Amino acid sequence: MNTTLPPSRDLPPGRHAQIRGAVLAATRRPNRRWIAPLVTAAAALAIVGLVAWFTPWTGNGGNAATQPTSQETTLPAPSTSTSDVSEPVAGVSPDERAAIEDGCARSGFPDETLTLKQVLTDAAGRVALLYSDRVAVVCTLDTPPTGYNPGGGGFGDFTPPVGLDTSLASAGGDVAGNKSQYAGQPGTDQFGGRVSPEVAKVTVTVGADSVDASVANGTFLARVLHPTDWLIPENRRALVLRAYDKNGTLLAEVTP
């Protein structure tokens, strides 16, 4: 009996691409809808890894290591009524609120009616979190050329007390190939999501970095700043969300 294996042969032309496509299709998450581009100079260089944007990994489908209440109820998306006077946005006048909602929509989400939930100000400037009934949007403000730089996408159901809806990253302005007008701008990780009423504080840890999020109007928003020559890592870093009540009691620790 001949036990010699036949000689190996190269795959036919195009077979590698077919196999890769099948693997990607099999692993694609079902609740990912679509992703809107970041409108920056770095976005034009996305093909070389200068900017990336992501829909949430699971909506809020992470593992809750500490979950005192076993709530299974899912809540709908935040209200998108722009006339909801019960949700004032701290530090933003009604006229500026309308301008932000319109500008962020026109710059990346023209088919959506966005409602501003909050504006966060840090060392890199201002960033806003907005929702429609279909998308969650993180929008950098005061950026050229339009003044509004939105990114985000669809989100899943929310299981209290905290859930991630959008996660974005952008490389630093001093990365080789970027436009000179963005020189000196830090790289960023940006995270936005929803919280239930009892949540008073949210911390966001990504890799070795940890920040306190801004909590307002049933949402949280956090931005982690990196050096100006920071490149987006090729591999996803561990992300942990921790929600606390007003007494500092840990309500949940979630790894989306």
Side-chain angles (χ1 to χ4, degrees):
M1 180 176 64
N2 184 3
T3 60
T4 304
L5 295 175
S8 61
R9 296 181 299 170
D10 292 336
L11 291 173
R15 184 56 178 157
H16 286 288
Q18 293 174 357
I19 294 173
R20 181 175 183 275
V23 172
L24 290 176
T27 58
R28 189 166 294 135
R29 290 174 172 82
N31 66 348
R32 175 172 178 164
R33 297 184 184 177
W34 54 280
I35 304 170
L38 293 178
V39 187
T40 64
L45 301 169
I47 58 174
V48 293
L50 294 186
V51 65
W53 45 93
F54 312 93
T55 50
W57 292 300
T58 59
N60 186 53
N63 300 318
T66 304
Q67 195 93 336
T69 59
S70 56
Q71 249 177 318
E72 297 295 336
T73 305
T74 57
L75 299 181
S79 167
T80 58
S81 171
T82 54
S83 62
D84 186 357
V85 296
S86 67
E87 283 193 341
V89 178
V92 179
S93 68
D95 287 346
E96 185 180 22
R97 175 177 181 164
I100 291 172
E101 291 169 343
D102 179 66
C104 293
R106 284 188 294 103
S107 296
F109 296 84
D111 296 327
E112 301 297 326
T113 300
L114 298 178
T115 296
L116 180 64
K117 293 298 178 179
Q118 60 168 301
V119 173
L120 168 67
T121 302
D122 58 18
R126 298 194 302 162
V127 61
L129 178 64
L130 308 93
Y131 280 86
S132 75
D133 59 356
R134 300 191 304 168
V135 299
V137 176
V138 174
C139 185
T140 305
L141 306 179
D142 313 314
T143 58
T146 67
Y148 306 98
N149 176 1
F155 51 85
D157 291 333
F158 167 53
T159 302
V162 62
L164 179 70
D165 286 325
T166 184
S167 168
L168 304 99
S170 61
D174 292 337
V175 169
N178 214 336
K179 290 186 177 180
S180 58
Q181 69 193 77
Y182 296 101
Q185 292 192 359
T188 65
D189 279 306
Q190 301 176 97
F191 305 96
R194 285 167 283 173
V195 296
S196 50
E198 71 271 21
V199 174
K201 176 182 177 180
V202 173
T203 64
V204 177
T205 301
V206 55
D209 300 302
S210 184
V211 297
D212 289 343
S214 170
V215 177
N217 290 329
T219 67
F220 76 88
L221 175 60
R223 181 158 65 173
V224 178
L225 303 182
H226 301 291
T228 61
D229 59 353
W230 183 75
L231 277 172
I232 301 167
E234 292 185 5
N235 298 320
R236 173 187 146 189
R237 291 161 295 157
L239 174 65
V240 181
L241 307 177
R242 295 181 177 90
Y244 302 84
D245 66 14
K246 63 181 181 180
N247 298 316
T249 302
L250 179 65
L251 300 174
E253 184 175 285
V254 178
T255 55

